[in-house]
């Protein structure tokens, strides 16, 4: 069960945004990721609880950012309920999309598991609903993912395979690279792995 800590920062000006303390695990039915998020001062800023099925689809997702909350799942596309800080307003949403995305590294792993692109294959297009702090307002976006290559590195705990993905935003044309080892993000825009207490999980 990988357990560790990511540092989060603005990908454009590198302003620190806080840290995400996480643990995740594979199981017979899929993968689960749980984390607590703190702001730069160390105060609690939110949480993530994401469960995927064996095909990489979100069967349960719960996000908290300050006092906003979103619960969602893959149902007729993706469906969610967003609750405001007072708890009096709940907005339901549904769009024909494949999965969710957001600021958490969990969503990068989730999208890679959903698409499972092969190295050298053409980029795969995916429609996602983005839920980002501080208010978790939903926004539908289209990306393409391509697995550029895999690199195996020797470590004290055995070989680790780093998968390097190119991700394109199909609306803006912006490109960036995501580096994954199993179910852990090594590096991505706005995300750095700072501490890892146990090796990443591997997927067949």
């Amino acid at each position: 069960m990988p357990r560790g800590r990511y540092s989060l920062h603005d990908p454009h000006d590198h302003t620190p945004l806080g840290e995400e303390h996480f643990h995740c695990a594979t199981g017979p039915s899929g993968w689960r990721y749980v984390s607590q998020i703190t702001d730069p001062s160390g105060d609690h800023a939110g949480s993530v609880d994401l469960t995927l099925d064996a095909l990489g689809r979100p069967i349960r997702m719960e996000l908290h950012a300050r006092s906003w909350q979103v619960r969602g799942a893959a149902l007729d596309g993706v469906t969610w309920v967003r609750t405001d800080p007072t708890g009096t307003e709940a907005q339901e949403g549904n769009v024909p999309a494949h999965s969710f995305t957001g600021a958490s590294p969990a969503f990068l792993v989730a999208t890679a598991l959903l698409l499972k692109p092969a190295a050298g294959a053409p980029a795969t297009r995916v429609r996602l609903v983005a839920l980002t702090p501080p208010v978790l307002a939903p926004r539908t976006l289209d990306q393409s993912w391509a697995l550029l290559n895999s690199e195996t590195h020797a470590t004290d705990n055995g070989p680790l395979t780093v998968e390097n993905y190119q991700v394109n935003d199909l609306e803006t044309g912006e490109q960036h690279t995501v580096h994954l080892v199993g179910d852990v993000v090594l590096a991505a825009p706005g995300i750095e792995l700072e501490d890892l207490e146990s090796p990443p999980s591997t997927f067949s």
Side-chain angles (χ1 to χ4, degrees):
M1 179 186 293
R3 184 183 299 269
R5 174 173 55 88
Y6 295 109
S7 62
L8 310 176
H9 57 268
D10 187 294
H12 302 291
D13 63 12
H14 302 289
T15 301
L17 299 178
E19 294 186 333
E20 186 160 336
H21 299 257
F22 73 95
H23 64 271
C24 52
T26 57
S29 60
W31 181 71
R32 186 179 183 196
Y33 176 101
V34 178
S35 71
Q36 297 293 323
I37 302 164
T38 56
D39 63 20
S41 66
D43 293 331
H44 180 73
S47 63
V48 178
D49 190 340
L50 175 65
T51 302
L52 308 180
D53 67 10
L55 297 177
R57 299 171 299 194
I59 56 176
R60 179 179 179 274
M61 181 207 64
E62 184 169 329
L63 300 181
H64 292 263
R66 303 300 178 184
S67 298
W68 293 89
Q69 174 184 286
V70 176
R71 293 181 177 177
L75 182 66
D76 296 325
V78 295
T79 299
W80 67 90
V81 176
R82 176 172 173 262
T83 307
D84 71 349
T86 66
T88 59
E89 298 283 342
Q91 298 177 327
E92 296 185 11
N94 170 267
V95 297
H98 300 94
S99 190
F100 297 98
T101 191
S104 172
F107 293 111
L108 298 176
V109 177
T111 303
L113 290 175
L114 176 71
L115 300 180
K116 299 181 179 66
T124 302
R125 181 173 179 147
V126 62
R127 173 159 290 182
L128 303 168
V129 175
L131 302 160
T132 54
V135 296
L136 303 178
R139 180 174 70 92
T140 304
L141 55 85
D142 293 303
Q143 293 180 340
S144 69
W145 280 61
L147 178 57
L148 298 178
N149 54 60
S150 299
E151 304 169 336
T152 301
H153 301 269
T155 72
D156 294 339
N157 296 314
L160 286 180
T161 299
V162 180
E163 295 182 324
N164 303 307
Y165 295 86
Q166 180 173 293
V167 181
N168 293 353
D169 185 313
L170 298 181
E171 180 181 359
T172 66
E174 182 179 359
Q175 296 183 351
H176 61 268
T177 305
V178 173
H179 307 279
L180 302 182
V181 178
D183 56 354
V184 172
V185 179
L186 282 187
I191 299 166
E192 293 290 342
L193 179 66
E194 300 291 350
D195 181 53
L196 186 63
E197 296 180 11
S198 53
S201 304
T202 57
F203 300 96
S204 58

